[in-house]
Amino acid sequence: MILTVTLNAALDVTYQVPEIDWAGVNRVKAVHRRAGGKGVNVARVLRGLGREVLVTGLAGGPVGQAIEADLEAAGLPRALVPIAAESRTTLAVAGGGGGAALFNEPGPEVSEAELREFGRVYASLLERAEAVVISGSLPRGVPAGTYAELAALAAEHGVPAIVDADGPALRHAPVGRPAIVKPNAEELARAVPPHGHPVEGAEHLRALGAESVVVSLGEEGLYAVTPEGTFRARMPYRVEGNPTGAGDSLVAGLALGLVEGAPWPERLRTAAALGAAAVAAPVAGDFDRDVYARTHPLIEIT
Ligand SMILES: O=P(O)(O)OC[C@H]1O[C@](O)(CO)[C@@H](O)[C@H]1O
């Protein structure tokens, strides 16, 4: 199975609002509530593609119970480690004209003992994993080097890791020698010294230990700097919709290509098409199968 790690699991609330008035009353047209956090979304997409997945991470309090219940209802296998503090809620407000404003709470305070227990569970799950995806923000109390440690432990078990993180967690991640690090262009710019081009920033992360670096550029596609060479994927058209979760869908495509041993151009085509297909789906963690099928053959890889 493909293991996904979400240390800062969330109850994702999405409000669909025709037009947002930041100074007035907004009537919400539709509300979606579901278990989220980046690793959960990655698992949903992978499962939608027919892969066996397992969701792990931390969950606590009534919100943690709601996350567990939603994963159960969705039939997503899970091994969440309980914590005393309450898991967070995130809010995406999606306007009619496309785009969404995100409000992501920082998340619960995690104790050293809880993090140690997670490490124990994680090590045992690695025995059954063909790849691990480690994504999203770190809850409070979790050191910035944790993703690097989780990636290094995976490597010790012969399991390739994909890390999708921001800030200090992204800066530290390459030290754990992950197979792939996936920042977006803004995250990359924050994590490495000033660079003229995303490929230079990606090379910096590779020099620190990441085997490959994929930089997502939203509707501009992506760059991938890999041992096989540097690739660019370009999107054939702009897809309208809610971009929340598009990066997670893209990461699911990278994980799929990794476990299937697909050549890089093929991996990137799948990843970019899944990212676009997620924009067309109203809620993070879903993708539009028609958009995926239509877009996949049109993505240009150079
Ligand atoms: O961990 P964060 O970086 O705050 O991201 C979590 C959030 O991002 C999303 O995964 C979308 O990528 C939402 O589902 C939401 O849970």
Side-chain angles (χ1 to χ4, degrees):
M1 52 80 180
I2 300 175
L3 182 64
T4 73
V5 175
T6 315
L7 291 184
N8 211 358
L11 187 67
D12 279 352
V13 179
T14 306
Y15 281 174
Q16 233 98 42
V17 184
E19 238 172 79
I20 303 169
D21 174 359
W22 290 104
V25 175
N26 291 279
R27 302 286 170 196
V28 177
K29 213 171 66 180
V31 184
H32 304 275
R33 276 189 188 84
R34 56 152 51 170
K38 296 193 188 302
V40 171
N41 294 335
V42 173
R44 283 185 199 275
V45 174
L46 282 169
R47 213 262 313 258
L49 293 164
R51 301 303 302 204
E52 200 188 322
V53 291
L54 181 63
V55 171
T56 189
L58 304 169
V63 173
Q65 282 167 14
I67 292 169
E68 293 260 10
D70 187 68
L71 292 174
E72 174 73 28
L76 276 170
R78 66 192 192 276
L80 292 173
V81 172
I83 55 172
E86 177 147 26
S87 295
R88 64 182 174 150
T89 297
T90 71
L91 176 64
V93 183
L102 305 181
F103 301 85
N104 293 358
E105 293 180 8
E109 185 77 39
V110 177
S111 72
E112 271 178 43
E114 288 166 340
L115 194 57
R116 254 197 319 277
E117 174 59 10
F118 173 78
R120 199 190 57 72
V121 170
Y122 172 74
S124 75
L125 296 175
L126 283 174
E127 306 287 341
R128 297 190 278 135
E130 9 171 22
V132 59
V133 178
I134 306 165
S135 333
S137 57
L138 293 172
R140 286 175 285 182
V142 176
T146 301
Y147 285 172
E149 283 173 22
L150 296 180
L153 195 59
E156 276 171 34
H157 283 73
V159 179
I162 301 179
V163 179
D164 177 5
D166 192 4
L170 169 59
R171 267 197 298 283
H172 284 81
V175 177
R177 305 210 161 265
I180 304 174
V181 172
K182 201 295 293 170
N184 62 34
E186 295 79 41
E187 290 163 344
L188 181 69
R190 281 195 286 270
V192 301
H195 50 275
H197 194 275
V199 168
E200 285 168 34
E203 268 158 4
H204 184 88
L205 292 182
R206 285 195 74 217
L208 294 176
E211 189 178 316
S212 298
V213 177
V214 175
V215 185
S216 56
L217 309 168
E219 60 198 49
E220 302 295 321
L222 53 82
Y223 283 106
V225 184
T226 81
E228 286 171 34
T230 296
F231 301 92
R232 170 83 203 256
R234 283 188 175 80
M235 311 307 290
Y237 39 66
R238 183 171 194 274
V239 174
E240 294 288 335
N242 177 5
T244 319
D248 305 334
S249 194
L250 189 155
V251 168
L254 294 176
L256 187 70
L258 181 66
V259 297
E260 290 181 345
W264 269 101
E266 193 43 40
R267 284 187 206 192
L268 298 176
R269 193 169 283 123
T270 301
L274 279 171
V279 175
V283 181
D286 289 347
F287 67 98
D288 184 308
R289 285 175 190 278
D290 292 340
V291 173
Y292 176 54
R294 204 171 344 118
T295 310
H296 189 278
L298 301 178
I299 287 172
E300 188 199 339
I301 308 284
T302 50

